Amino acid sequence: MALLQEWQKIAYNDKANKGELQRFWQRYFLLEKGVYEKLLTNPDEKVEGTVKELADKYELTVMEMTGFLDGINDSLIEPNPIEEMEEDTKVSLAFDKEKLYKNMVDAKADWLYNLPMWDDIFDKETQKALYLEQKKSGTVIVGKKVGRNDPCPCGSGRKYKQCCGK
């Protein structure tokens, strides 16, 4: 069985005790934060290796590293083959800085996008702009509703109810 499937069985186990699952995620988020602190300290370093090698490097279990790789995959320059990944699969952690920051905002992971290491990567203005850009990307703006007796928006000059409103 691929590592990702095993990780998902553990992390998203709906049969598990809610308290146990909450403790599992709290512990995982602390470990994840530690890895991001190391990655963001030297953001241009090319980090590559097998899943097992990276797990050892960041002092994680292979399952924890699988969860980390699953989480960061959308922010990578070249996504890893996480669906069929095994312990000896070569992976890369080369990430797109802006994409990673925005994905952290999207995930509402304030413990990650507020890490002090971001200050060395982006100035406060850029961080704020990226934050707002990500927040606005999920906002749907509904236009003004056309009334029955308003001019038709198609530009025909007729009333909406006698044109496109039929």
Side-chain angles (χ1 to χ4, degrees):
M1 181 187 303
L3 290 174
L4 184 64
Q5 291 171 316
E6 287 181 52
W7 164 256
Q8 289 172 339
K9 254 190 208 175
I10 297 165
Y12 305 107
N13 183 356
D14 53 352
K15 292 171 184 63
N17 173 318
K18 294 262 188 266
E20 277 179 39
L21 210 50
Q22 192 172 12
R23 283 189 294 281
F24 167 83
W25 281 107
Q26 283 177 333
R27 183 178 174 282
Y28 172 77
F29 289 146
L30 277 174
L31 295 170
E32 179 187 47
K33 182 180 176 184
V35 176
Y36 277 119
E37 286 172 341
K38 291 173 187 168
L39 279 176
L40 294 172
T41 300
N42 193 353
D44 297 317
E45 177 187 357
K46 197 170 188 179
V47 180
E48 293 179 327
T50 65
V51 175
K52 175 84 173 106
E53 290 167 351
L54 292 179
D56 293 343
K57 177 178 179 166
Y58 292 106
E59 299 170 358
L60 301 174
T61 65
V62 170
M63 275 299 109
E64 292 162 347
M65 179 49 73
T66 302
F68 182 81
L69 289 165
D70 183 27
I72 197 173
N73 209 43
D74 289 340
S75 304
L76 298 176
I77 295 167
E78 276 292 314
N80 290 312
I82 59 170
E83 297 293 330
E84 58 270 350
M85 192 168 60
E86 297 295 337
E87 280 189 32
D88 58 351
T89 305
K90 278 256 188 219
V91 291
S92 168
L93 295 181
F95 58 91
D96 178 312
K97 297 175 195 105
E98 285 189 10
K99 222 189 231 182
L100 180 61
Y101 189 84
K102 287 180 181 179
N103 286 340
M104 288 175 170
V105 170
D106 190 41
K108 297 176 179 66
D110 57 337
W111 65 94
L112 296 176
Y113 67 78
N114 285 329
L115 286 170
M117 294 82 189
W118 283 113
D119 296 339
D120 295 332
I121 299 170
F122 299 125
D123 59 37
K124 285 292 182 194
E125 295 291 313
T126 306
Q127 287 180 46
K128 186 176 180 180
L130 290 170
Y131 179 89
L132 291 173
E133 189 179 322
Q134 181 57 43
K135 287 294 187 184
K136 285 179 183 174
S137 72
T139 305
V140 178
I141 299 171
V142 180
K144 183 179 174 268
K145 187 176 178 194
V146 180
R148 296 172 26 90
N149 291 314
D150 291 341
C152 190
C154 77
S156 67
R158 298 168 64 196
K159 287 185 178 184
Y160 178 69
K161 69 180 178 186
Q162 295 170 335
C163 189
C164 295
K166 285 184 176 182

